[in-house]
């Protein structure tokens, strides 16, 4: 379900009209996330760490409202929920696109997500997921401790979905730190909102 944002009364109306005209309207940041408690908790529960932090990031994104905004023609819609469209790595070195519904309950999310992972890993080809626009595009690069990242884009395709990438976790002063890249459409949100997401994601990883 979705509702229409009243752009005429939106405090960011001028920002929306300004940045939506850009050839490259996305901006991105890369932040370090402390995964120490989350990693220990997921391992103790016998859960996938990947699905654990993916679920926490979705919980944060669904809480920070601008992450649920999407542009369609001249309108901005607010979706009731956004879901995950992650890349899933295969043993042969390729990957496929997947689609995972967000469930507030981690157990329910994990069970359905693992079925989707199994499906993609036991298939071939890119398998574009028909998942709609109310998704966040996720990728995981567990081989790289990156400090910045860029994304392949087709400028003829009017994409406005956030893109979040997770990197290689490393030990640092007794903590497990993972780089996380967040790219968002500047017509829909600013650094302030990305900061809200980053703070909430870290809080949820600590809980």
């Amino acid at each position: 379900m979705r509702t229409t944002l009243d752009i005429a009364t939106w405090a960011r109306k001028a920002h929306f009209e300004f940045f939506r005209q850009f050839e490259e309207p996305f901006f991105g940041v890369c932040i370090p996330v402390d995964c120490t408690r989350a990693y220990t908790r997921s391992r103790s529960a016998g859960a996938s760490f990947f699905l654990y932090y993916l679920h926490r990031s979705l919980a944060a994104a669904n809480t920070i409202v601008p992450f649920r905004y999407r542009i369609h023609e001249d309108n901005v819609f607010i979706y009731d929920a956004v879901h995950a469209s992650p890349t899933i790595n295969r043993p042969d070195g390729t990957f496929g696109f997947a689609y995972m519904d967000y469930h507030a309950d981690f157990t329910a999310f994990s069970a359905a997500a693992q079925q989707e992972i199994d499906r993609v890993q036991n298939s071939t080809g890119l398998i574009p997921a028909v998942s709609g626009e109310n998704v966040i595009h996720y990728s995981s690069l567990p081989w790289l401790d990156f400090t910045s990242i860029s994304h392949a884009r087709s400028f003829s395709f009017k994409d406005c979905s956030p893109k979040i990438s997770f990197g290689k976790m490393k030990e640092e002063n007794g903590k497990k730190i993972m780089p996380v890249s967040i790219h968002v459409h500047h017509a829909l949100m600013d650094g302030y909102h990305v900061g809200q997401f980053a703070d909430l994601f870290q809080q949820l990883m600590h809980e």
Side-chain angles (χ1 to χ4, degrees):
M1 297 293 292
R2 67 187 188 183
T3 56
T4 303
L5 178 70
D6 186 354
I7 297 175
T9 60
W10 189 16
R12 294 190 69 263
K13 179 177 183 291
H15 303 70
F16 170 74
E17 293 176 344
F18 180 71
F19 286 111
R20 72 175 304 202
Q21 304 301 323
F22 280 35
E23 289 82 5
E24 173 52 291
F26 279 79
F27 75 94
V29 298
C30 182
I31 61 170
V33 174
D34 183 350
C35 301
T36 311
R37 294 182 185 176
Y39 183 81
T40 300
R41 187 170 292 108
S42 66
R43 284 293 182 260
S44 297
S48 161
F49 179 55
F50 166 67
L51 292 180
Y52 193 90
Y53 65 67
L54 182 63
H55 181 260
R56 295 302 189 270
S57 70
L58 275 172
N62 274 283
T63 301
I64 307 304
V65 178
F67 277 77
R68 294 190 273 114
Y69 290 169
R70 297 294 184 272
I71 302 169
H72 184 69
E73 296 180 349
D74 292 325
N75 296 310
V76 174
F77 292 115
I78 311 169
Y79 280 89
D80 291 347
V82 289
H83 310 287
S85 179
T87 56
I88 300 299
N89 298 319
R90 299 192 182 101
D92 65 359
T94 65
F95 70 87
F97 293 118
Y99 173 79
M100 300 171 182
D101 279 321
Y102 171 65
H103 299 278
D105 177 70
F106 174 68
T107 301
F109 170 79
S110 180
Q114 189 59 58
Q115 289 183 351
E116 177 70 348
I117 289 173
D118 293 342
R119 182 190 69 80
V120 174
Q121 289 184 333
N122 288 286
S123 60
T124 58
L126 196 56
I127 318 174
V130 181
S131 54
E133 61 185 12
N134 61 324
V135 295
I136 293 177
H137 297 142
Y138 284 100
S139 56
S140 181
L141 295 83
W143 322 277
L144 299 173
D145 177 23
F146 55 74
T147 55
S148 66
I149 196 170
S150 62
H151 294 277
R153 289 202 54 213
S154 172
F155 289 108
S156 62
F157 177 64
K158 300 301 182 182
D159 180 23
C160 63
S161 296
K163 306 174 191 315
I164 299 177
S165 301
F166 307 100
K168 181 180 181 180
M169 189 169 61
K170 64 179 181 181
E171 294 282 344
E172 194 173 278
N173 299 319
K175 296 180 180 180
K176 295 184 182 298
I177 305 297
M178 180 174 64
V180 177
S181 168
I182 307 158
H183 280 70
V184 297
H185 199 296
H186 214 338
L188 297 178
M189 70 181 90
D190 306 309
Y192 171 73
H193 307 103
V194 176
Q196 288 182 312
F197 168 84
D199 287 345
L200 181 55
F201 180 43
Q202 181 64 86
Q203 177 184 326
L204 293 174
M205 291 290 279
H206 276 324
E207 290 180 353

